Amino acid sequence: SDVCSSDLTGIMNKTNTVPQTETTQTAKLNKTTPTPPVDNPQISTIPEIPSNLPAKITFYTSLTSSQVPVGKNTTFPVGKLVVHVSAPKGLKTSKMQITIYLQRDMLEGIYGQKDQTLTGEWTSVNLPIKISDKGKYRIEFRTTTKKSNDTILASNTVTIK
């Protein structure tokens, strides 16, 4: 059975436009079922999140009509939430991979994953997602260009109750 029932919609704010304009991008997460044993390549031990990443992930309950995230929290009920990625210095990364990991015990497995293309320099991305299962999750954004060697841009955990 599928563990993920997620739609991923991204709204990007460009730093090189005044006033800021939004570009909406829509993508669907691939559904995967993480299953033991540990030698499964999609199952790994939970990594420590580096403190010096170039961007930060914050979680919110929703977006206003002007695409501003509201209701900051770290615990949400099953359903929809907004993943907000901010990069105060701006990033020019165009190829990104968004991965949601489901964490259990000391292991984590891929719950959903999607490659996303962004254009120009950006300072923030809002991603409304739906998580249909209770648990602890880690959301990770990384570049997917060979040049940058799949650099992690941001990572944070959220609890779904």
Side-chain angles (χ1 to χ4, degrees):
S1 71
D2 291 332
V3 216
C4 177
S5 156
S6 301
D7 283 329
L8 186 78
T9 303
I11 294 143
M12 177 185 70
N13 294 321
K14 296 181 180 183
T15 57
N16 56 357
T17 306
V18 179
Q20 289 188 337
T21 60
E22 287 107 29
T23 302
T24 303
Q25 302 177 17
T26 305
K28 289 203 175 205
L29 290 174
N30 297 325
K31 296 179 179 181
T32 57
T33 305
T35 53
V38 179
D39 60 347
N40 180 329
Q42 291 193 342
I43 301 291
S44 61
T45 56
I46 297 174
E48 192 171 317
I49 299 173
S51 59
N52 60 344
L53 296 176
K56 179 181 176 183
I57 292 177
T58 311
F59 302 101
Y60 294 89
T61 55
S62 61
L63 292 171
T64 65
S65 59
S66 58
Q67 303 305 317
V68 175
V70 293
K72 182 178 174 181
N73 210 331
T74 57
T75 302
F76 297 87
V78 167
K80 295 180 180 180
L81 67 136
V82 175
V83 178
H84 177 78
V85 182
S86 60
K89 295 181 180 178
L91 291 171
K92 291 183 182 176
T93 302
S94 61
K95 302 265 187 205
M96 293 190 45
Q97 186 175 73
I98 300 108
T99 306
I100 300 173
Y101 296 93
L102 172 60
Q103 299 182 335
R104 290 211 174 115
D105 300 317
M106 296 303 291
L107 301 175
E108 68 179 18
I110 296 175
Y111 181 82
Q113 188 173 62
K114 179 63 187 167
D115 290 334
Q116 186 79 31
T117 301
L118 303 176
T119 55
E121 185 171 308
W122 57 275
T123 56
S124 66
V125 178
N126 291 318
L127 299 156
I129 63 171
K130 180 180 178 184
I131 298 181
S132 301
D133 302 288
K134 295 177 181 180
K136 185 172 181 179
Y137 295 85
R138 182 170 67 90
I139 314 294
E140 179 180 274
F141 286 176
R142 62 172 57 233
T143 59
T144 57
T145 57
K146 291 179 182 178
K147 187 177 181 182
S148 62
N149 200 23
D150 290 349
T151 304
I152 297 174
L153 299 176
S155 183
N156 201 357
T157 58
V158 64
T159 301
I160 305 298
K161 291 191 173 187

